Amino acid sequence: EEAGYGDGFSIRLHTFEMPAYMRIAEILGYELSQIGIDLTVTIEERGAFLDRVMDGDDYDLFIWGWVGQLDPDRAMFRQFHSQGAFANFTYYANPELDQLLERGQRTAPDSDESIEIYRRAQEIVVEELPYAFIYYHEEVGVNHPYITGWEIHPYPANTYQDIHLIDKER
């Protein structure tokens, strides 16, 4: 009501055939209906969804995942720099953030300066919120004690990067 939408409004959400995303869409539809927002959910085949989001802008909202990155440049530049290549789906632009991310690319990653650059960059993103991060998937990895030479990597995409180092002592 304070924002001028006391009578509610309609909005479209797109996602693809992933059980977790479909459940989130259902929950969002219910929750938004409680405050007068009519959410139309479209579940698409993954390829059609990717075409919609990556090659166009025929959506109001979408649900999609992003795998965490260990490198802050990879975690932020593609999504939040105004020239962020393929992952700036919201066309988000903030000149201060662009400057910070460009500086971050030229700064030693293990330096205090780098930490401060990316801390400020995160503050801007959280403050302006071009995306809403509503779902966090946690993965658990285990192995037997007789398997040595391998550790679970904190970044799921790299889970098997050192599999060639495994020794089996049994």
Side-chain angles (χ1 to χ4, degrees):
E1 287 182 8
E2 289 176 20
Y5 294 101
D7 294 330
F9 60 92
S10 296
I11 195 163
R12 301 170 303 140
L13 179 138
H14 292 265
T15 194
F16 58 93
E17 301 166 318
M18 179 178 233
Y21 298 168
M22 294 186 313
R23 284 192 300 271
I24 291 168
E26 181 180 354
I27 292 166
L28 285 174
Y30 172 77
E31 294 292 331
L32 292 174
S33 75
Q34 301 303 298
I35 59 171
I37 300 173
D38 177 39
L39 182 70
T40 301
V41 176
T42 302
I43 308 294
E44 299 178 285
E45 180 273 328
R46 185 181 171 109
F49 170 80
L50 293 176
D51 287 345
R52 177 181 305 279
V53 174
M54 295 178 82
D55 298 332
D57 60 2
D58 183 21
Y59 57 85
D60 296 323
L61 304 170
F62 63 85
I63 297 174
W64 192 7
W66 186 263
V67 176
Q69 304 278 328
L70 297 178
D71 177 356
D73 175 56
R74 287 196 62 189
M76 297 195 76
F77 194 94
R78 292 183 280 181
Q79 291 184 86
F80 303 117
H81 191 280
S82 63
Q83 303 300 313
F86 73 92
N88 187 352
F89 305 117
T90 61
Y91 307 103
Y92 174 72
N94 176 311
E96 180 186 359
L97 183 63
D98 283 356
Q99 289 178 344
L100 286 166
L101 296 177
E102 290 163 13
R103 256 183 63 212
Q105 289 181 325
R106 297 185 306 267
T107 305
D110 58 349
S111 68
D112 288 343
E113 181 183 5
S114 177
I115 291 168
E116 287 307 312
I117 288 169
Y118 288 107
R119 180 174 288 131
R120 176 63 187 136
Q122 289 175 354
E123 287 172 357
I124 292 169
V125 168
V126 168
E127 194 174 292
E128 296 188 358
L129 205 59
Y131 293 173
F133 298 96
I134 61 171
Y135 168 71
Y136 178 76
H137 175 82
E138 187 172 326
E139 293 190 16
V140 176
V142 296
N143 63 299
H144 291 285
Y146 57 84
I147 302 292
T148 62
W150 183 65
E151 292 183 17
I152 306 297
H153 196 280
Y155 176 43
N158 291 6
T159 296
Y160 300 105
Q161 74 179 9
D162 294 328
I163 202 160
H164 63 285
L165 301 174
I166 289 178
D167 284 323
K168 183 177 176 184
E169 298 175 356
R170 182 173 161 192

